[in-house]
Structures are given as C-alpha cells and as structure tokens.
Amino acid sequence: MTHLSKIASGVEESRLERGQRALAEIDGEAGHKVVAALADIAPDFATYVFEFPFGDIYSRPGLDLRSREIATIAALAAMGNAAPQLKVHIEAGLNVGLTRDEIVEVLIQMAVYAGFPAALNGLFAAKEVFAAKGGQRPQGPS
C-alpha cells in the first residue's frame, strides 16, 4: 500500500477519507475549489471525485504521483477540451515535484500525438498557471 492508503496510525481509511487526503496532497487548494464549486449543484458528484479518482486510482501502488500527473497532463492536453482541468493538473504537477520544464516537455510531446492545436492550447494553459504561481517560464535563446 502507498503512503496515501493508510493513515498514520495504520488503520485503513475509507475511500472518501483516502480521497480527501490525496486530493489535498496532490491538488492542494485548486482541487478543493473544484469540489467546493460542486457543493450547491451536485454534492454527490463531489463525493465521487474524492472516492474514485483520488481514493481509488491515485492511491494505487505502481506509479508515483509525479508519473500520474505526467500521464494526466498529457491526457488532458490531448483531449483538447479540458482546459480548466488541465490547469488544475498542471498546478498539481508542480505540487508533486514536476518542474516547469518537464511540464512544458510533456505538452510539446503532445504535438506528435494530439496535434499542434492541442499542444499550443496546453502550453498556453501552462503559461497561465506559471504566471499565477509567480513568474513565467524563462524564454529560450533567440
């Protein structure tokens, strides 16, 4: 079991508890804003977000959180229609130790498999997240 699957005392957590803790560790404030935004329209869906993606999938052994966020960023960028979720997961990637350069490389890689529009949209989403977190990625040589 991973560090996300048990609480400090070694007692098994419920899916909901495990998911709430995982979301806080991975997405921080951004993830909780998404869940809070659902409270007045679909509170049950907020519970599903805690339980399934974070309580079940992110908590599985086999991949570390950095690898899971690389996969998530790539998938959301490739979808091309999930910019809000992509921004949350770019921030999550930073939270779990990805560098800005690694995130940019993941998004550039998507040009090969999802096309230039998806890669461009992903890069612009990353630029927004980076700017909000305190500065843009430095420009390369001219």
Side-chain angles (χ1 to χ4, degrees):
M1 299 214 146
T2 69
H3 65 285
L4 292 175
S5 62
K6 290 192 175 221
I7 57 176
S9 68
V11 175
E12 282 291 319
E13 297 174 288
S14 71
R15 293 171 71 213
L16 179 60
E17 292 166 333
R18 190 171 54 241
Q20 288 170 326
R21 193 166 48 77
L23 180 68
E25 180 180 345
I26 297 161
D27 285 341
E29 186 66 27
H32 284 287
K33 285 181 182 176
V34 171
V35 172
L38 293 168
D40 63 342
I41 188 168
D44 288 344
F45 195 79
T47 300
Y48 302 150
V49 169
F50 283 129
E51 290 178 340
F52 180 64
F54 293 96
D56 292 340
I57 303 302
Y58 270 87
S59 299
R60 290 177 51 80
L63 288 177
D64 63 12
L65 294 177
R66 290 179 87 257
S67 299
R68 289 186 188 282
E69 283 305 326
I70 288 170
T72 303
I73 291 166
L76 290 169
M79 288 174 66
N81 62 354
Q85 293 79 18
L86 176 58
K87 290 176 189 175
V88 167
H89 284 281
I90 288 170
E91 188 167 334
L94 295 169
N95 289 343
V96 300
L98 293 176
T99 67
R100 292 175 182 207
D101 287 338
E102 288 172 321
I103 291 169
V104 167
E105 286 302 319
V106 168
L107 295 168
I108 290 171
Q109 180 77 15
M110 291 306 95
V112 177
Y113 296 97
F116 273 78
L120 282 168
N121 290 340
L123 289 165
F124 287 128
K127 185 175 180 177
E128 285 182 39
V129 172
F130 298 163
K133 294 208 49 101
Q136 310 250 345
R137 182 178 176 274
Q139 302 246 341
S142 354

